[in-house]
Amino acid sequence: MTTPHLPKVAGIDSPPGQVPPPAHTVAPAPAVSPAASAPVAPGALIQDKLAGWVSDLTTLHELTERLARTATLDDALHELLRAGAALVGARRGLVVLEPGDGLGPDRTLALGLSRPDLGHIETVPRGATSYGRILDGLSAEDETRADLFAEDGLDPRHREVAARLGYAASYALPLATDGAGRLGAAVWFYDEPAAPAERARHLIGLYARYATEHLGRLRELERTRAWSRTVSDELLPARLPRVPGVELAVRHRSGPRGGGDWYDALPLPEGALGLAVGSVTGSGADALAAMGRLRASLRAYAVMEGEDPVAVLSDLELLLRLTEPARSATACFAYCEPTQRTILLAGAGHTPPLVIGERRTEFVETTLSAPLGMLACWEAPSVEIAPDPGETVLLYTDGLLHRTGDPMDRAFARLHAAAASVPRALREDPGAVADHVLHTVLPDGLDAAGSDEDVVLLAARFA
């Protein structure tokens, strides 16, 4: 079905006879005023109908506007349940998102029902419920069950669950579009035997038509984001190497649009270790592809000349200018000799590493340099650091700072304070150090909504 234009919602322009009269109007037959015992003029009836239709239009316009402001699938489903409950006069309900193509995402959300309540409902045989028949393709229309306990053929388990949860009637509605097919079903429950009026069924049908189109768009967006996250994760190392003298841990999360942040850790000849983090500008499939090419190239350059981080980044910059002339990137590469506890690193427009230890928590003073691809020829001096035994070196991308929502100077101060507050008991585990820093800098965690930024945090603890 095509999405109805908001001004035409509620069927105001439908042909005569197809739109039932508003629920609050009198019947169109000649009426008698109880006060004056005189027939009501036809003009008054028409005005009453028009007033009812305008009221319905205003209600649906407000509900669809609220739905249109939802940006996530779960928010849209919750709004659908609330709006539907208001339109049909129910107090509780649930919606099951189960696309007919089997590709997901699947959801079950409830209104006025707890998790145990949902568990009880799910024990009812699927074919015995109205929404189950819709999901299984046995029913393509809305279904009213005005008095469940009066049904002769009601499934015994359904009767038991209805009595336990205290509902006596239900109204179910399919969620389907012409293009995407079946998306799911919604059902609302009444505490007493009841059924939505004809006008209410008409209004919820119009609302559901718009809501289903909106849900379809959000479903495709979520699928795309899930695909981007999967591709991003597959392009990064499946596991970190084990190198004597150093312990590694990483925390990574791709943004919803699939960004270009990356990391790497690779063993090098003579017991050395190469550590790298970087970020490619842009998002989506192009950024993911560029990130994969850049990371693969850096691995090759690191094997050939890893002991010279400046040469590694210079080669990477040349490759970027030749293959991605319209794109820039930041990167930090560190050549580590764990047994000697020395690190030689170079950065190209990247955030400075952070050293965390018993006696110090400080940013590494790297030379200010431009990102790769920004200058005709990139070059910057390398920096050598010598971490003490038990110290952890933290490499990260600027997405960690941007997710705080603070200006950069405050974000850096927040990161420094988080690193300095790592409890002594956690300092022996680089994973625990990374988790503490993340939870302190981002109290809502990496899964918090509202940010498109990728985050990479690579921790290396030296023995």
PDB file of all heavy atoms in Angstrom, residues 11 26 48-49 58 127 149 152 186 198 217 254 305-306 315 369 384 394 439 451:
ATOM      1  N   GLY A  11      -9.698   9.129   5.911  1.00  0.00           N
ATOM      2  CA  GLY A  11     -10.681   8.883   4.869  1.00  0.00           C
ATOM      3  C   GLY A  11     -11.679   9.994   4.677  1.00  0.00           C
ATOM      4  O   GLY A  11     -12.818   9.762   4.336  1.00  0.00           O
ATOM      5  N   VAL A  26     -24.991  10.988  16.040  1.00  0.00           N
ATOM      6  CA  VAL A  26     -26.251  10.254  16.052  1.00  0.00           C
ATOM      7  C   VAL A  26     -26.441   9.591  14.700  1.00  0.00           C
ATOM      8  O   VAL A  26     -25.756   9.897  13.733  1.00  0.00           O
ATOM      9  CB  VAL A  26     -27.430  11.214  16.345  1.00  0.00           C
ATOM     10  CG1 VAL A  26     -27.287  11.819  17.720  1.00  0.00           C
ATOM     11  CG2 VAL A  26     -27.511  12.309  15.285  1.00  0.00           C
ATOM     12  N   ASP A  48     -22.683  17.806  12.250  1.00  0.00           N
ATOM     13  CA  ASP A  48     -22.205  16.872  13.258  1.00  0.00           C
ATOM     14  C   ASP A  48     -21.250  15.855  12.650  1.00  0.00           C
ATOM     15  O   ASP A  48     -20.212  15.511  13.234  1.00  0.00           O
ATOM     16  CB  ASP A  48     -23.393  16.166  13.910  1.00  0.00           C
ATOM     17  CG  ASP A  48     -23.011  15.474  15.203  1.00  0.00           C
ATOM     18  OD1 ASP A  48     -22.049  15.928  15.855  1.00  0.00           O
ATOM     19  OD2 ASP A  48     -23.663  14.483  15.553  1.00  0.00           O
ATOM     20  N   LYS A  49     -21.584  15.348  11.457  1.00  0.00           N
ATOM     21  CA  LYS A  49     -20.694  14.417  10.771  1.00  0.00           C
ATOM     22  C   LYS A  49     -19.359  15.069  10.432  1.00  0.00           C
ATOM     23  O   LYS A  49     -18.288  14.489  10.649  1.00  0.00           O
ATOM     24  CB  LYS A  49     -21.343  13.910   9.484  1.00  0.00           C
ATOM     25  CG  LYS A  49     -22.477  12.934   9.689  1.00  0.00           C
ATOM     26  CD  LYS A  49     -22.982  12.447   8.343  1.00  0.00           C
ATOM     27  CE  LYS A  49     -24.129  11.461   8.501  1.00  0.00           C
ATOM     28  NZ  LYS A  49     -24.608  10.974   7.189  1.00  0.00           N
ATOM     29  N   THR A  58      -7.877  15.225  13.015  1.00  0.00           N
ATOM     30  CA  THR A  58      -6.930  15.849  13.937  1.00  0.00           C
ATOM     31  C   THR A  58      -6.235  14.798  14.794  1.00  0.00           C
ATOM     32  O   THR A  58      -5.010  14.835  14.988  1.00  0.00           O
ATOM     33  CB  THR A  58      -7.664  16.857  14.845  1.00  0.00           C
ATOM     34  OG1 THR A  58      -8.305  17.841  14.030  1.00  0.00           O
ATOM     35  CG2 THR A  58      -6.694  17.534  15.792  1.00  0.00           C
ATOM     36  N   GLY A 127      -1.605 -21.128  16.928  1.00  0.00           N
ATOM     37  CA  GLY A 127      -2.801 -21.150  16.098  1.00  0.00           C
ATOM     38  C   GLY A 127      -4.065 -20.809  16.830  1.00  0.00           C
ATOM     39  O   GLY A 127      -5.110 -20.572  16.204  1.00  0.00           O
ATOM     40  N   PHE A 149     -14.404 -15.928  26.652  1.00  0.00           N
ATOM     41  CA  PHE A 149     -14.929 -17.015  27.467  1.00  0.00           C
ATOM     42  C   PHE A 149     -16.269 -17.535  26.969  1.00  0.00           C
ATOM     43  O   PHE A 149     -16.738 -18.577  27.426  1.00  0.00           O
ATOM     44  CB  PHE A 149     -15.034 -16.554  28.927  1.00  0.00           C
ATOM     45  CG  PHE A 149     -13.707 -16.193  29.520  1.00  0.00           C
ATOM     46  CD1 PHE A 149     -13.376 -14.869  29.745  1.00  0.00           C
ATOM     47  CD2 PHE A 149     -12.769 -17.166  29.822  1.00  0.00           C
ATOM     48  CE1 PHE A 149     -12.149 -14.518  30.277  1.00  0.00           C
ATOM     49  CE2 PHE A 149     -11.534 -16.835  30.348  1.00  0.00           C
ATOM     50  CZ  PHE A 149     -11.213 -15.501  30.580  1.00  0.00           C
ATOM     51  N   ASP A 152     -17.081 -21.264  22.195  1.00  0.00           N
ATOM     52  CA  ASP A 152     -17.161 -22.702  22.475  1.00  0.00           C
ATOM     53  C   ASP A 152     -15.837 -23.410  22.179  1.00  0.00           C
ATOM     54  O   ASP A 152     -15.446 -24.324  22.908  1.00  0.00           O
ATOM     55  CB  ASP A 152     -18.292 -23.338  21.646  1.00  0.00           C
ATOM     56  CG  ASP A 152     -19.669 -22.820  22.065  1.00  0.00           C
ATOM     57  OD1 ASP A 152     -19.798 -22.398  23.224  1.00  0.00           O
ATOM     58  OD2 ASP A 152     -20.585 -22.826  21.217  1.00  0.00           O
ATOM     59  N   ALA A 186      -0.366  -7.004  15.442  1.00  0.00           N
ATOM     60  CA  ALA A 186      -0.566  -6.341  16.728  1.00  0.00           C
ATOM     61  C   ALA A 186      -1.895  -6.791  17.309  1.00  0.00           C
ATOM     62  O   ALA A 186      -2.848  -7.067  16.567  1.00  0.00           O
ATOM     63  CB  ALA A 186      -0.545  -4.820  16.569  1.00  0.00           C
ATOM     64  N   GLU A 198     -17.239   0.369  14.931  1.00  0.00           N
ATOM     65  CA  GLU A 198     -16.900   0.330  13.510  1.00  0.00           C
ATOM     66  C   GLU A 198     -16.003   1.503  13.133  1.00  0.00           C
ATOM     67  O   GLU A 198     -15.052   1.362  12.355  1.00  0.00           O
ATOM     68  CB  GLU A 198     -18.182   0.339  12.676  1.00  0.00           C
ATOM     69  CG  GLU A 198     -17.944   0.177  11.174  1.00  0.00           C
ATOM     70  CD  GLU A 198     -19.242   0.199  10.387  1.00  0.00           C
ATOM     71  OE1 GLU A 198     -20.308   0.435  10.995  1.00  0.00           O
ATOM     72  OE2 GLU A 198     -19.180  -0.018   9.164  1.00  0.00           O
ATOM     73  N   ARG A 217      10.272   0.999   6.501  1.00  0.00           N
ATOM     74  CA  ARG A 217      11.485   1.798   6.256  1.00  0.00           C
ATOM     75  C   ARG A 217      12.495   1.619   7.387  1.00  0.00           C
ATOM     76  O   ARG A 217      13.699   1.467   7.135  1.00  0.00           O
ATOM     77  CB  ARG A 217      11.099   3.267   6.098  1.00  0.00           C
ATOM     78  CG  ARG A 217      10.312   3.571   4.829  1.00  0.00           C
ATOM     79  CD  ARG A 217      10.165   5.065   4.618  1.00  0.00           C
ATOM     80  NE  ARG A 217       9.284   5.672   5.615  1.00  0.00           N
ATOM     81  CZ  ARG A 217       7.976   5.806   5.468  1.00  0.00           C
ATOM     82  NH1 ARG A 217       7.389   5.359   4.369  1.00  0.00           N
ATOM     83  NH2 ARG A 217       7.238   6.391   6.411  1.00  0.00           N
ATOM     84  N   SER A 254      31.075  -0.462  16.081  1.00  0.00           N
ATOM     85  CA  SER A 254      30.789   0.327  14.888  1.00  0.00           C
ATOM     86  C   SER A 254      29.532   1.154  15.115  1.00  0.00           C
ATOM     87  O   SER A 254      28.593   0.713  15.778  1.00  0.00           O
ATOM     88  CB  SER A 254      30.585  -0.578  13.672  1.00  0.00           C
ATOM     89  OG  SER A 254      31.776  -1.270  13.361  1.00  0.00           O
ATOM     90  N   GLU A 305      58.725  -2.800   6.675  1.00  0.00           N
ATOM     91  CA  GLU A 305      59.535  -1.751   7.292  1.00  0.00           C
ATOM     92  C   GLU A 305      58.898  -1.238   8.582  1.00  0.00           C
ATOM     93  O   GLU A 305      58.878  -0.044   8.856  1.00  0.00           O
ATOM     94  CB  GLU A 305      59.722  -0.594   6.314  1.00  0.00           C
ATOM     95  CG  GLU A 305      58.444  -0.123   5.634  1.00  0.00           C
ATOM     96  CD  GLU A 305      58.727   0.828   4.495  1.00  0.00           C
ATOM     97  OE1 GLU A 305      59.885   1.230   4.322  1.00  0.00           O
ATOM     98  OE2 GLU A 305      57.773   1.171   3.774  1.00  0.00           O
ATOM     99  N   GLY A 306      58.412  -2.194   9.399  1.00  0.00           N
ATOM    100  CA  GLY A 306      57.711  -1.816  10.608  1.00  0.00           C
ATOM    101  C   GLY A 306      58.569  -1.096  11.624  1.00  0.00           C
ATOM    102  O   GLY A 306      58.063  -0.303  12.420  1.00  0.00           O
ATOM    103  N   ASP A 315      54.181   5.436   3.291  1.00  0.00           N
ATOM    104  CA  ASP A 315      53.709   4.543   2.229  1.00  0.00           C
ATOM    105  C   ASP A 315      52.185   4.492   2.203  1.00  0.00           C
ATOM    106  O   ASP A 315      51.558   4.472   1.134  1.00  0.00           O
ATOM    107  CB  ASP A 315      54.271   3.135   2.439  1.00  0.00           C
ATOM    108  CG  ASP A 315      55.770   3.072   2.214  1.00  0.00           C
ATOM    109  OD1 ASP A 315      56.322   4.004   1.600  1.00  0.00           O
ATOM    110  OD2 ASP A 315      56.396   2.093   2.673  1.00  0.00           O
ATOM    111  N   SER A 369      50.677  16.606  13.423  1.00  0.00           N
ATOM    112  CA  SER A 369      50.801  16.308  11.997  1.00  0.00           C
ATOM    113  C   SER A 369      49.419  16.234  11.375  1.00  0.00           C
ATOM    114  O   SER A 369      48.420  16.013  12.058  1.00  0.00           O
ATOM    115  CB  SER A 369      51.535  14.977  11.782  1.00  0.00           C
ATOM    116  OG  SER A 369      50.807  13.918  12.374  1.00  0.00           O
ATOM    117  N   GLU A 384      59.656   7.984  20.647  1.00  0.00           N
ATOM    118  CA  GLU A 384      59.977   6.748  21.356  1.00  0.00           C
ATOM    119  C   GLU A 384      59.564   6.884  22.819  1.00  0.00           C
ATOM    120  O   GLU A 384      59.832   7.897  23.466  1.00  0.00           O
ATOM    121  CB  GLU A 384      61.469   6.434  21.273  1.00  0.00           C
ATOM    122  CG  GLU A 384      61.833   5.107  21.932  1.00  0.00           C
ATOM    123  CD  GLU A 384      63.276   4.706  21.713  1.00  0.00           C
ATOM    124  OE1 GLU A 384      63.957   5.373  20.905  1.00  0.00           O
ATOM    125  OE2 GLU A 384      63.714   3.723  22.342  1.00  0.00           O
ATOM    126  N   LEU A 394      47.381   2.926  25.912  1.00  0.00           N
ATOM    127  CA  LEU A 394      46.030   2.935  25.359  1.00  0.00           C
ATOM    128  C   LEU A 394      46.037   3.671  24.023  1.00  0.00           C
ATOM    129  O   LEU A 394      46.362   4.857  23.954  1.00  0.00           O
ATOM    130  CB  LEU A 394      45.100   3.647  26.337  1.00  0.00           C
ATOM    131  CG  LEU A 394      43.670   3.132  26.517  1.00  0.00           C
ATOM    132  CD1 LEU A 394      43.657   1.676  26.901  1.00  0.00           C
ATOM    133  CD2 LEU A 394      42.958   3.973  27.563  1.00  0.00           C
ATOM    134  N   HIS A 439      33.531   2.675  30.672  1.00  0.00           N
ATOM    135  CA  HIS A 439      32.357   2.897  31.516  1.00  0.00           C
ATOM    136  C   HIS A 439      32.426   4.233  32.233  1.00  0.00           C
ATOM    137  O   HIS A 439      31.383   4.809  32.578  1.00  0.00           O
ATOM    138  CB  HIS A 439      32.234   1.759  32.530  1.00  0.00           C
ATOM    139  CG  HIS A 439      31.938   0.442  31.916  1.00  0.00           C
ATOM    140  ND1 HIS A 439      32.234  -0.772  32.511  1.00  0.00           N
ATOM    141  CD2 HIS A 439      31.382   0.123  30.722  1.00  0.00           C
ATOM    142  CE1 HIS A 439      31.866  -1.757  31.729  1.00  0.00           C
ATOM    143  NE2 HIS A 439      31.348  -1.245  30.631  1.00  0.00           N
ATOM    144  N   SER A 451      24.377   8.349  18.812  1.00  0.00           N
ATOM    145  CA  SER A 451      25.703   8.662  18.299  1.00  0.00           C
ATOM    146  C   SER A 451      26.015   7.775  17.108  1.00  0.00           C
ATOM    147  O   SER A 451      25.764   6.571  17.138  1.00  0.00           O
ATOM    148  CB  SER A 451      26.771   8.464  19.390  1.00  0.00           C
ATOM    149  OG  SER A 451      28.059   8.709  18.863  1.00  0.00           O
TER     150      SER A 451
END
